[in-house]
């Protein structure tokens, strides 16, 4: 798009007569002396989606329900508002270990084939392929994605989504090639990471081995909640996720969403003894109160728009909301910027009104690119982007 927007004497010294200097002539100035031919380009927004699927014995129906609603999820994810979407999807499970007392004997088992490792994409017959993640451009994306979220029900009954994610996004797995069982190459420099946890139980994560909480066959007690002080704190996991860096050293933007064991009516975490099973008070198919799951979601979004109940009859609206979160960012990658002071953004809102924002006016903040890091434009609160925006254009003010 040519930079055709012109503003009379934006930077020109209109009060000068004869020979005079302008900001263009100032030492070290990057202001162009004429309108630039190439306007700023908005790069596609890169998002790496990591689904964390509970594959314990009670999750068959929930996995099937997620698979059913994936068309609406992908449709929303692909919707553009002036920024193209470039995403990829990988799946891990909640299975890392199981520490349990069976017949009076403690046993500690590890799930080495899972434990944060990207799971293989099944083919049409259910056999594992060499694929470990799916690209947004894959013509078979929906079909493969539906197969991938069905992780079965043979996993650990001690669900540890936080620990699984920590392992997935940290060395040694991030530095180990996929051909050798690692996750190397999945996370891209400059990409946002959206974690989506799907589970009917609360988190029981610890970085310790063996895990400090020992489960028993007594379902009338929720030992992971009773002994939560022995687990690695939710805050510690959160801080680790929020400080992730990509290969260029830039802090990675991390988002979090949960479909978990919280109340249907108000997303609260509260336990109740339902017969002989501890559940969330308003989630009849859950197996835990959801305290840790809710706390993690709240740390990422105090308004809890990123949290919903696993007990919903349909996950369509929930997945559409998560997809909106994935494609929506308060920063964009831009190229062809001669001088940030000339940048202007025009945001078309849902009602058709166009809001004009600029770096000079303080509505936008420009962070220049470095060796391996692209330049980014950040939208401030006075001009915050909204999921309902129709269009976004970035232009250059022109003085001649």
């Amino acid at each position: 798009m040519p930079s055709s927007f012109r503003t009379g004497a934006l930077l020109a010294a209109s009060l000068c007569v004869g020979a005079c200097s302008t900001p263009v002539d100032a030492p070290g100035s990057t202001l162009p002396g004429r309108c630039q031919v190439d306007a700023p380009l908005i790069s596609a927004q890169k998002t790496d989606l990591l689904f964390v699927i509970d594959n314990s014995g009670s999750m068959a129906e929930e996995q099937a329900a997620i698979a059913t609603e994936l068309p609406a999820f992908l449709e929303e994810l692909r919707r553009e508002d002036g920024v193209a979407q470039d995403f990829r999807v990988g799946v891990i499970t909640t299975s890392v270990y199981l520490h349990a007392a069976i017949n009076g004997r403690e046993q500690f088992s590890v799930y080495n084939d899972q434990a944060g490792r990207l799971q293989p994409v099944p083919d049409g017959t259910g056999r594992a392929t060499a694929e470990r993640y799916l690209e947004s451009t894959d013509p078979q994306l929906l079909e493969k994605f539906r197969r991938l979220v069905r992780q079965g029900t043979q996993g650990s009954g001690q669900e540890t989504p936080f620990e699984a994610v920590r392992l997935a996004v940290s060395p040694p797995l991030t530095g180990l090639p996929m051909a050798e069982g690692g996750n190397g190459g999945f996370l891209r420099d400059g990409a946002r990471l959206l974690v989506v946890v799907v589970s009917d139980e609360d988190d029981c994560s610890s970085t310790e081995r063996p895990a400090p909480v020992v489960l028993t066959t007594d379902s009338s007690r929720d030992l992971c909640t009773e002994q939560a002080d022995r687990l690695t704190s939710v805050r510690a996991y959160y801080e680790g996720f929020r400080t992730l860096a990509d290969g260029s050293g830039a802090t990675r933007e991390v988002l979090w969403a949960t479909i978990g064991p919280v109340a249907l009516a108000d997303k609260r975490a509260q336990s109740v003894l339902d017969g002989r099973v501890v559940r969330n008070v308003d989630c009849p198919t859950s197996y835990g109160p959801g305290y840790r799951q809710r706390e993690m979601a709240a740390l990422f979004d105090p308004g809890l728009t990123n949290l919903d109940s696993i007990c919903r009859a349909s996950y369509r609206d929930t997945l559409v909301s998560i997809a909106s979160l994935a494609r929506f960012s308060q920063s964009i990658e831009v190229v062809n910027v001669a001088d940030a002071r000339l940048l202007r953004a025009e945001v078309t809102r849902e009602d058709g009104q166009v809001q004009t924002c600029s770096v000079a006016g303080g509505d936008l903040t420009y962070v220049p690119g470095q060796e391996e890091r692209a330049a980014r434009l950040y939208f401030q609160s006075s001009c915050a982007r909204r999921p309902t925006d129709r269009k976004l254009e970035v232009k250059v003010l022109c003085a001649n």
Side-chain angles (χ1 to χ4, degrees):
M1 179 195 313
S3 54
S4 57
F5 181 85
R6 296 175 182 274
T7 175
L10 167 70
L11 294 173
S14 59
L15 298 179
C16 288
V17 291
C20 67
S21 62
T22 73
V24 172
D25 304 316
S29 173
T30 58
L31 293 174
R34 62 184 180 84
C35 291
Q36 66 185 74
V37 175
D38 298 322
L41 299 177
I42 303 175
S43 300
Q45 178 173 274
K46 295 190 294 185
T47 306
D48 300 332
L49 292 102
L50 183 64
F51 272 70
V52 189
I53 303 296
D54 184 344
N55 63 336
S56 63
S58 60
M59 282 292 295
E61 292 183 4
E62 289 81 357
Q63 292 177 22
I66 291 290
T68 298
E69 303 300 345
L70 285 178
F73 174 79
L74 292 176
E75 180 181 357
E76 177 66 18
L77 198 58
R78 287 169 166 151
R79 186 164 70 87
E80 294 185 16
D81 57 2
V83 181
Q85 302 297 320
D86 172 10
F87 62 89
R88 58 175 47 169
V89 184
V91 169
I92 62 174
T93 75
T94 57
S95 297
V96 177
Y97 52 70
L98 175 61
H99 199 180
I102 302 175
N103 297 325
R105 295 182 57 188
E106 283 192 21
Q107 299 180 19
F108 183 71
S109 305
V110 292
Y111 291 72
N112 287 327
D113 60 333
Q114 299 177 57
R117 299 176 192 272
L118 292 171
Q119 295 302 291
V121 180
D123 63 17
T125 66
R127 295 180 179 178
T129 69
E131 282 188 287
R132 290 295 185 273
Y133 61 83
L134 304 172
E135 296 283 7
S136 56
T137 55
D138 190 331
Q140 295 182 299
L141 174 61
L142 175 58
E143 181 183 347
K144 291 179 178 179
F145 197 2
R146 279 178 158 166
R147 295 197 296 261
L148 188 55
V149 297
R150 293 175 180 264
Q151 284 295 312
T153 56
Q154 300 301 310
S156 174
Q158 190 168 22
E159 286 80 345
T160 56
F162 303 166
E163 180 65 1
V165 174
R166 184 188 73 83
L167 294 171
V169 301
S170 307
L173 287 184
T174 52
L176 190 64
M178 293 189 186
E180 299 176 21
N183 296 342
F186 173 66
L187 297 177
R188 297 170 291 176
D189 290 352
R192 309 156 77 221
L193 170 64
L194 171 60
V195 177
V196 183
V197 177
V198 182
S199 177
D200 62 0
E201 289 208 28
D202 212 345
D203 173 78
C204 199
S205 289
S206 174
T207 58
E208 295 182 34
R209 302 291 186 275
V213 175
V214 182
L215 302 186
T216 69
T217 56
D218 184 1
S219 61
S220 68
R221 295 183 63 188
D222 177 14
L223 295 175
C224 290
T225 296
E226 290 179 20
Q227 301 176 37
D229 60 328
R230 302 186 65 188
L231 300 174
T232 302
S233 72
V234 177
R235 170 69 68 171
Y237 278 113
Y238 168 77
E239 294 296 342
F241 299 146
R242 292 292 286 189
T243 55
L244 282 178
D246 65 18
S248 71
T251 300
R252 190 182 299 279
E253 183 180 357
V254 179
L255 308 171
W256 192 280
T258 301
I259 304 176
V262 295
L264 278 163
D266 54 12
K267 305 181 183 179
R268 75 186 183 278
Q270 182 180 336
S271 63
V272 63
L273 185 60
D274 180 8
R276 298 180 61 183
V277 179
V278 176
R279 308 187 190 278
N280 180 284
V281 67
D282 187 34
C283 186
T285 61
S286 63
Y287 292 89
Y291 291 111
R292 284 170 64 89
Q293 298 271 29
R294 188 184 191 278
E295 183 182 351
M296 181 66 83
L299 286 171
F300 277 93
D301 177 6
L304 292 178
T305 58
N306 60 342
L307 176 67
D308 209 349
S309 176
I310 194 72
C311 288
R312 296 227 170 270
S314 168
Y315 299 134
R316 184 185 186 283
D317 291 345
T318 304
L319 287 170
V320 167
S321 178
I322 292 172
S324 178
L325 177 68
R327 69 174 181 79
F328 175 71
S329 173
Q330 292 299 344
S331 71
I332 57 174
E333 186 177 300
V334 290
V335 296
N336 292 343
V337 177
D339 191 291
R341 289 170 291 179
L342 300 178
L343 284 178
R344 159 177 170 153
E346 293 181 358
V347 186
T348 304
R349 301 301 188 183
E350 185 178 22
D351 59 3
Q353 296 293 314
V354 178
Q355 182 178 356
T356 301
C357 319
S358 67
V359 172
D363 306 305
L364 307 172
T365 299
Y366 177 76
V367 177
Q370 298 180 8
E371 290 184 6
E372 298 180 0
R373 200 176 306 172
R376 297 196 73 84
L377 195 62
Y378 291 82
F379 291 74
Q380 303 305 310
S381 58
S382 58
C383 189
R385 296 182 64 211
R386 304 168 190 165
T388 54
D389 290 342
R390 295 182 181 178
K391 187 178 181 181
L392 170 65
E393 292 183 281
V394 177
K395 302 180 178 181
V396 173
L397 296 173
C398 184
N400 58 318

